Amino acid sequence: MSLADPRNLLSDLIVKATKAGADQADAVAAAGTSVSHSQRLGKVESLERSESHDLGLRVIIGKKQAVVSSNDWVPEALDQLVERAIAMARAVPDDAYCGLADPDQLTDRTDLDLDLFDPSEPSAEDLIERARAAEDAALAVDGVTNSDGASAEWSRWDIFLAASNGFSGGYKGSRHGIGVSVLAGEGTGMETDYDYSTTVHGSDLRAPEEIGRSAGERAVAKLNPRKGATKALPVVFDPRMSPSLVRHLTSAINGGSIARGTSFLKDKMGQQVMNPALTIMDDPHRRRGLASKPFDAEGLANAPMALVQDGVLQTWILDLHTARQLNLQSTGRAARGTSAPPSPSTTNVHLQPGSVSPKELMSDIASGLYVTSLMGMGVNGVTGDYSRGASGFWIENGEIAFPVNEMTIAGNLKDMFMQMTAADDLEFLHATNAPTVRIDGMTIAGQ
């Protein structure tokens, strides 16, 4: 569904909350429509359309706050919503750092044109054809023997935020997606892989045939895996895996982790934390970016910023709450749903590319591991210790030699970031993006 501008509804709700006893209040409304199709071996498994709307109200009384949400927007239900919020706020403990932005902190640029909405809605037939073309292309790859299924989806949404400090703004967005997963080989020797594309505008989607062919070729390439050696060697992360390393960095510099003292980077502001050749940017204003937005969830400006510049840590990721805890200023990185207060989060993050190709990056590796899949969550955010299951390909004399699986890679993120080198193949495909990266000296456990 498309949400008619609910600013009056939100304003009325905030007025009701302040009259009922709230010192401050804000409200967010969201509405969306989505259509999804899935199939397997050419047979439709599902074709679904859903429409939803939700509203969240936050009230603050002194230093107490509460958040309530509802998808019932009739006046009587909203009156009850206010009553519940006020009652909850009076019952919870104090939070010394809660509170809305001061009026002079608010942005007056709520209308930035970031091209986040594609007005063209694909038909059900369009989605079916996209999934069919992707699956057919994957099954046509020699060696592919079965399908886990293909899907195509589309969604759109509208978001509005209003607050008693005078802020009011909204924006809308859209998503198109295609994905397919297939199997190669027979019996116990089967391998599976996938590929997908997600974009704001349908015209930016990769061709379904390309997605399917890539998924099929990836699955076939993994057939007949071996185990690699156990020793300290260079590890190269495929661009599908390297963003996870960037996310470990952004998690470690999230204001919540810093305020709690639970980050291995808590004392590293202004210090070298990565290879001096590396820079990581967060850009909420990237046109057609999957995580772009014109303002943050507290009505503050959210300009592009360097998280790491030439290897030096530049900033924490802060909303108002964590900034007050740390006696700092918000970096305009508040995010919020309808059922919880704001919290700090990144937007479009990328590790800037290096100057060498992936082939050149691997050219001097006598033996090493090229990682295309990671398993498990063996990452300790407090110490930086890192240990995960991995599969991919063995590197010999600078070339991909053979597939490997059931490997473990281990190290410490503090050392890994300092040993990291980036290739030049950065593409903006996700909310967090990175090129192929190499990390020397990791412990690899195989045979």
Short mmCIF file of all heavy atoms in Angstrom, two decimals, residues 337-386:
data_model
loop_
_atom_site.label_atom_id
_atom_site.label_comp_id
_atom_site.label_asym_id
_atom_site.label_seq_id
_atom_site.Cartn_x
_atom_site.Cartn_y
_atom_site.Cartn_z
N GLY A 337 12.96 1.23 14.29
CA GLY A 337 11.73 0.62 13.84
C GLY A 337 10.57 1.25 14.59
O GLY A 337 10.71 2.29 15.22
N THR A 338 9.42 0.59 14.55
CA THR A 338 8.25 1.15 15.23
C THR A 338 8.10 0.65 16.66
O THR A 338 7.29 1.20 17.41
CB THR A 338 6.96 0.81 14.46
OG1 THR A 338 6.86 -0.62 14.32
CG2 THR A 338 6.97 1.45 13.07
N SER A 339 8.88 -0.36 17.06
CA SER A 339 8.65 -0.96 18.37
C SER A 339 9.82 -0.80 19.33
O SER A 339 9.85 -1.45 20.38
CB SER A 339 8.33 -2.45 18.21
OG SER A 339 9.38 -3.11 17.53
N ALA A 340 10.80 0.04 19.00
CA ALA A 340 11.95 0.23 19.87
C ALA A 340 12.48 1.65 19.69
O ALA A 340 12.27 2.26 18.64
CB ALA A 340 13.04 -0.79 19.56
N PRO A 341 13.18 2.16 20.69
CA PRO A 341 13.77 3.49 20.54
C PRO A 341 14.92 3.46 19.54
O PRO A 341 15.40 2.39 19.15
CB PRO A 341 14.26 3.82 21.95
CG PRO A 341 14.47 2.49 22.60
CD PRO A 341 13.43 1.58 22.02
N PRO A 342 15.39 4.63 19.11
CA PRO A 342 16.51 4.67 18.16
C PRO A 342 17.76 4.01 18.72
O PRO A 342 17.98 3.95 19.94
CB PRO A 342 16.73 6.17 17.95
CG PRO A 342 15.44 6.81 18.33
CD PRO A 342 14.88 5.97 19.43
N SER A 343 18.60 3.52 17.81
CA SER A 343 19.90 2.98 18.17
C SER A 343 20.86 3.27 17.03
O SER A 343 20.43 3.48 15.89
CB SER A 343 19.81 1.47 18.43
OG SER A 343 19.35 0.80 17.27
N PRO A 344 22.17 3.30 17.28
CA PRO A 344 23.12 3.66 16.22
C PRO A 344 23.31 2.54 15.21
O PRO A 344 23.37 1.36 15.57
CB PRO A 344 24.41 3.95 16.98
CG PRO A 344 24.28 3.21 18.27
CD PRO A 344 22.82 3.15 18.58
N SER A 345 23.43 2.92 13.94
CA SER A 345 23.61 1.95 12.88
C SER A 345 24.26 2.62 11.67
O SER A 345 24.06 3.83 11.45
CB SER A 345 22.28 1.33 12.47
OG SER A 345 22.44 0.40 11.42
N THR A 346 25.01 1.87 10.90
CA THR A 346 25.60 2.40 9.68
C THR A 346 24.56 2.47 8.56
O THR A 346 23.44 1.97 8.69
CB THR A 346 26.76 1.52 9.21
OG1 THR A 346 26.30 0.17 9.05
CG2 THR A 346 27.90 1.54 10.22
N THR A 347 24.97 3.08 7.44
CA THR A 347 24.11 3.13 6.25
C THR A 347 24.83 2.37 5.13
O THR A 347 25.03 1.18 5.24
CB THR A 347 23.79 4.59 5.88
OG1 THR A 347 24.99 5.31 5.59
CG2 THR A 347 23.05 5.28 7.02
N ASN A 348 25.20 3.06 4.06
CA ASN A 348 25.95 2.42 2.96
C ASN A 348 27.45 2.48 3.27
O ASN A 348 28.05 3.55 3.20
CB ASN A 348 25.68 3.14 1.64
CG ASN A 348 24.22 3.15 1.27
OD1 ASN A 348 23.62 2.10 1.02
ND2 ASN A 348 23.62 4.34 1.23
N VAL A 349 28.02 1.36 3.62
CA VAL A 349 29.43 1.30 4.01
C VAL A 349 30.24 0.62 2.91
O VAL A 349 29.79 -0.38 2.34
CB VAL A 349 29.60 0.55 5.34
CG1 VAL A 349 31.07 0.45 5.73
CG2 VAL A 349 28.82 1.23 6.45
N HIS A 350 31.43 1.14 2.63
CA HIS A 350 32.30 0.43 1.70
C HIS A 350 33.76 0.62 2.07
O HIS A 350 34.16 1.66 2.60
CB HIS A 350 32.07 0.88 0.25
CG HIS A 350 32.59 2.25 -0.07
ND1 HIS A 350 31.83 3.39 0.11
CD2 HIS A 350 33.78 2.66 -0.57
CE1 HIS A 350 32.53 4.44 -0.27
NE2 HIS A 350 33.72 4.04 -0.68
N LEU A 351 34.53 -0.42 1.82
CA LEU A 351 35.98 -0.38 1.90
C LEU A 351 36.50 0.08 0.55
O LEU A 351 36.21 -0.54 -0.48
CB LEU A 351 36.53 -1.77 2.24
CG LEU A 351 38.05 -1.95 2.16
CD1 LEU A 351 38.76 -1.09 3.20
CD2 LEU A 351 38.42 -3.42 2.34
N GLN A 352 37.23 1.18 0.52
CA GLN A 352 37.69 1.71 -0.75
C GLN A 352 38.64 0.73 -1.43
O GLN A 352 39.42 0.04 -0.77
CB GLN A 352 38.36 3.07 -0.55
CG GLN A 352 37.38 4.16 -0.18
CD GLN A 352 37.99 5.55 -0.22
OE1 GLN A 352 39.19 5.71 -0.34
NE2 GLN A 352 37.15 6.56 -0.10
N PRO A 353 38.58 0.66 -2.77
CA PRO A 353 39.39 -0.33 -3.50
C PRO A 353 40.87 0.04 -3.49
O PRO A 353 41.26 1.19 -3.34
CB PRO A 353 38.82 -0.26 -4.91
CG PRO A 353 38.27 1.13 -5.03
CD PRO A 353 37.74 1.47 -3.66
N GLY A 354 41.69 -0.99 -3.68
CA GLY A 354 43.11 -0.79 -3.86
C GLY A 354 43.46 -0.56 -5.32
O GLY A 354 42.59 -0.22 -6.13
N SER A 355 44.71 -0.78 -5.67
CA SER A 355 45.18 -0.46 -7.02
C SER A 355 45.60 -1.66 -7.84
O SER A 355 46.07 -1.52 -8.96
CB SER A 355 46.36 0.52 -6.93
OG SER A 355 47.42 -0.04 -6.16
N VAL A 356 45.44 -2.87 -7.28
CA VAL A 356 45.83 -4.08 -8.01
C VAL A 356 44.62 -4.96 -8.25
O VAL A 356 43.65 -4.93 -7.48
CB VAL A 356 46.92 -4.87 -7.25
CG1 VAL A 356 48.17 -4.03 -7.08
CG2 VAL A 356 46.41 -5.35 -5.89
N SER A 357 44.66 -5.75 -9.29
CA SER A 357 43.57 -6.67 -9.60
C SER A 357 43.60 -7.85 -8.63
O SER A 357 44.63 -8.11 -8.00
CB SER A 357 43.71 -7.18 -11.03
OG SER A 357 44.85 -8.03 -11.13
N PRO A 358 42.49 -8.58 -8.52
CA PRO A 358 42.52 -9.79 -7.68
C PRO A 358 43.61 -10.77 -8.10
O PRO A 358 44.24 -11.40 -7.24
CB PRO A 358 41.12 -10.37 -7.88
CG PRO A 358 40.26 -9.20 -8.18
CD PRO A 358 41.12 -8.29 -9.01
N LYS A 359 43.83 -10.90 -9.39
CA LYS A 359 44.89 -11.81 -9.87
C LYS A 359 46.26 -11.34 -9.38
O LYS A 359 47.08 -12.14 -8.92
CB LYS A 359 44.86 -11.89 -11.39
CG LYS A 359 45.86 -12.88 -11.98
CD LYS A 359 45.68 -13.00 -13.48
CE LYS A 359 46.70 -13.97 -14.08
NZ LYS A 359 46.52 -15.34 -13.55
N GLU A 360 46.50 -10.03 -9.46
CA GLU A 360 47.77 -9.49 -8.98
C GLU A 360 47.88 -9.63 -7.47
O GLU A 360 48.98 -9.85 -6.93
CB GLU A 360 47.90 -8.03 -9.38
CG GLU A 360 48.07 -7.82 -10.88
CD GLU A 360 47.95 -6.35 -11.28
OE1 GLU A 360 47.08 -5.65 -10.72
OE2 GLU A 360 48.73 -5.93 -12.16
N LEU A 361 46.76 -9.50 -6.77
CA LEU A 361 46.75 -9.63 -5.32
C LEU A 361 47.21 -11.02 -4.88
O LEU A 361 47.83 -11.17 -3.83
CB LEU A 361 45.34 -9.34 -4.79
CG LEU A 361 45.17 -9.15 -3.28
CD1 LEU A 361 45.79 -7.83 -2.83
CD2 LEU A 361 43.69 -9.19 -2.90
N MET A 362 46.89 -12.03 -5.70
CA MET A 362 47.24 -13.41 -5.37
C MET A 362 48.54 -13.88 -6.01
O MET A 362 49.00 -14.98 -5.73
CB MET A 362 46.11 -14.35 -5.82
CG MET A 362 44.81 -14.18 -5.09
SD MET A 362 43.61 -15.48 -5.49
CE MET A 362 43.31 -15.15 -7.23
N SER A 363 49.13 -13.08 -6.87
CA SER A 363 50.19 -13.57 -7.76
C SER A 363 51.41 -14.12 -7.02
O SER A 363 52.08 -15.02 -7.53
CB SER A 363 50.63 -12.45 -8.71
OG SER A 363 51.14 -11.35 -7.97
N ASP A 364 51.72 -13.61 -5.82
CA ASP A 364 52.91 -14.09 -5.11
C ASP A 364 52.60 -15.07 -4.00
O ASP A 364 53.46 -15.38 -3.17
CB ASP A 364 53.68 -12.90 -4.55
CG ASP A 364 52.90 -12.15 -3.47
OD1 ASP A 364 51.66 -12.32 -3.43
OD2 ASP A 364 53.52 -11.42 -2.68
N ILE A 365 51.37 -15.61 -3.97
CA ILE A 365 51.00 -16.58 -2.94
C ILE A 365 51.39 -17.98 -3.41
O ILE A 365 50.80 -18.51 -4.35
CB ILE A 365 49.49 -16.52 -2.63
CG1 ILE A 365 49.10 -15.13 -2.09
CG2 ILE A 365 49.11 -17.61 -1.63
CD1 ILE A 365 47.61 -14.97 -1.81
N ALA A 366 52.38 -18.57 -2.75
CA ALA A 366 52.80 -19.92 -3.11
C ALA A 366 51.74 -20.93 -2.70
O ALA A 366 51.39 -21.84 -3.47
CB ALA A 366 54.14 -20.26 -2.44
N SER A 367 51.19 -20.77 -1.50
CA SER A 367 50.09 -21.59 -1.02
C SER A 367 49.19 -20.73 -0.16
O SER A 367 49.68 -19.92 0.65
CB SER A 367 50.59 -22.79 -0.20
OG SER A 367 51.32 -23.68 -1.00
N GLY A 368 47.89 -20.89 -0.33
CA GLY A 368 46.96 -20.10 0.46
C GLY A 368 45.54 -20.53 0.20
O GLY A 368 45.27 -21.50 -0.54
N LEU A 369 44.58 -19.81 0.78
CA LEU A 369 43.17 -20.16 0.71
C LEU A 369 42.37 -18.99 0.14
O LEU A 369 42.52 -17.86 0.61
CB LEU A 369 42.64 -20.54 2.09
CG LEU A 369 41.15 -20.87 2.21
CD1 LEU A 369 40.81 -22.11 1.39
CD2 LEU A 369 40.76 -21.07 3.68
N TYR A 370 41.54 -19.29 -0.85
CA TYR A 370 40.60 -18.32 -1.40
C TYR A 370 39.22 -18.67 -0.84
O TYR A 370 38.67 -19.73 -1.17
CB TYR A 370 40.60 -18.35 -2.93
CG TYR A 370 39.74 -17.30 -3.57
CD1 TYR A 370 40.26 -16.05 -3.89
CD2 TYR A 370 38.40 -17.54 -3.87
CE1 TYR A 370 39.48 -15.07 -4.49
CE2 TYR A 370 37.60 -16.57 -4.47
CZ TYR A 370 38.15 -15.34 -4.77
OH TYR A 370 37.38 -14.37 -5.36
N VAL A 371 38.65 -17.81 -0.01
CA VAL A 371 37.42 -18.11 0.72
C VAL A 371 36.20 -17.61 -0.05
O VAL A 371 36.11 -16.43 -0.38
CB VAL A 371 37.44 -17.48 2.12
CG1 VAL A 371 36.11 -17.69 2.83
CG2 VAL A 371 38.58 -18.06 2.95
N THR A 372 35.26 -18.52 -0.32
CA THR A 372 34.00 -18.15 -0.97
C THR A 372 32.79 -18.40 -0.08
O THR A 372 31.68 -18.02 -0.43
CB THR A 372 33.81 -18.92 -2.28
OG1 THR A 372 33.78 -20.33 -2.00
CG2 THR A 372 34.94 -18.62 -3.26
N SER A 373 33.01 -19.06 1.07
CA SER A 373 31.90 -19.33 1.98
C SER A 373 32.44 -19.37 3.41
O SER A 373 33.52 -19.91 3.66
CB SER A 373 31.24 -20.66 1.64
OG SER A 373 30.17 -20.95 2.53
N LEU A 374 31.67 -18.78 4.34
CA LEU A 374 32.03 -18.78 5.75
C LEU A 374 30.88 -19.36 6.57
O LEU A 374 29.71 -19.14 6.24
CB LEU A 374 32.33 -17.37 6.24
CG LEU A 374 33.62 -16.73 5.71
CD1 LEU A 374 33.61 -15.23 5.97
CD2 LEU A 374 34.84 -17.37 6.34
N MET A 375 31.21 -20.08 7.62
CA MET A 375 30.20 -20.71 8.47
C MET A 375 30.51 -20.43 9.93
O MET A 375 31.67 -20.24 10.30
CB MET A 375 30.18 -22.22 8.23
CG MET A 375 29.70 -22.62 6.84
SD MET A 375 30.53 -24.09 6.22
CE MET A 375 32.08 -23.41 5.66
N GLY A 376 29.47 -20.44 10.75
CA GLY A 376 29.66 -20.24 12.17
C GLY A 376 29.84 -18.78 12.52
O GLY A 376 30.05 -17.92 11.67
N MET A 377 29.73 -18.48 13.81
CA MET A 377 29.82 -17.11 14.29
C MET A 377 30.90 -16.99 15.35
O MET A 377 30.71 -16.38 16.40
CB MET A 377 28.47 -16.65 14.84
CG MET A 377 27.37 -16.58 13.79
SD MET A 377 27.79 -15.46 12.43
CE MET A 377 27.82 -13.91 13.28
N GLY A 378 32.07 -17.57 15.12
CA GLY A 378 33.14 -17.58 16.10
C GLY A 378 33.95 -16.30 16.11
O GLY A 378 35.16 -16.30 15.86
N VAL A 379 33.27 -15.18 16.38
CA VAL A 379 33.94 -13.89 16.45
C VAL A 379 33.63 -13.27 17.81
O VAL A 379 32.47 -13.08 18.16
CB VAL A 379 33.48 -12.95 15.32
CG1 VAL A 379 34.21 -11.62 15.39
CG2 VAL A 379 33.70 -13.61 13.96
N ASN A 380 34.68 -12.95 18.58
CA ASN A 380 34.51 -12.37 19.90
C ASN A 380 34.70 -10.86 19.80
O ASN A 380 35.81 -10.38 19.56
CB ASN A 380 35.54 -12.97 20.86
CG ASN A 380 35.32 -12.56 22.30
OD1 ASN A 380 35.00 -11.41 22.59
ND2 ASN A 380 35.48 -13.49 23.22
N GLY A 381 33.60 -10.11 19.97
CA GLY A 381 33.67 -8.66 19.82
C GLY A 381 34.46 -7.97 20.91
O GLY A 381 34.87 -6.82 20.74
N VAL A 382 34.67 -8.63 22.04
CA VAL A 382 35.40 -8.04 23.15
C VAL A 382 36.90 -8.15 22.95
O VAL A 382 37.66 -7.22 23.20
CB VAL A 382 34.97 -8.68 24.49
CG1 VAL A 382 35.77 -8.08 25.65
CG2 VAL A 382 33.48 -8.50 24.72
N THR A 383 37.35 -9.32 22.49
CA THR A 383 38.79 -9.56 22.32
C THR A 383 39.27 -9.44 20.89
O THR A 383 40.46 -9.26 20.64
CB THR A 383 39.14 -10.98 22.82
OG1 THR A 383 38.50 -11.95 21.98
CG2 THR A 383 38.69 -11.18 24.26
N GLY A 384 38.35 -9.58 19.91
CA GLY A 384 38.73 -9.58 18.51
C GLY A 384 39.12 -10.94 17.99
O GLY A 384 39.46 -11.08 16.82
N ASP A 385 39.06 -11.96 18.84
CA ASP A 385 39.41 -13.31 18.38
C ASP A 385 38.44 -13.76 17.29
O ASP A 385 37.22 -13.56 17.41
CB ASP A 385 39.38 -14.30 19.55
CG ASP A 385 40.55 -14.11 20.50
OD1 ASP A 385 41.57 -13.56 20.08
OD2 ASP A 385 40.41 -14.49 21.68
N TYR A 386 38.98 -14.40 16.27
CA TYR A 386 38.22 -14.74 15.07
C TYR A 386 38.50 -16.18 14.70
O TYR A 386 39.65 -16.59 14.54
CB TYR A 386 38.65 -13.81 13.93
CG TYR A 386 37.95 -14.01 12.60
CD1 TYR A 386 36.91 -13.19 12.21
CD2 TYR A 386 38.35 -15.01 11.71
CE1 TYR A 386 36.28 -13.33 10.97
CE2 TYR A 386 37.72 -15.17 10.48
CZ TYR A 386 36.69 -14.33 10.12
OH TYR A 386 36.06 -14.49 8.91
#
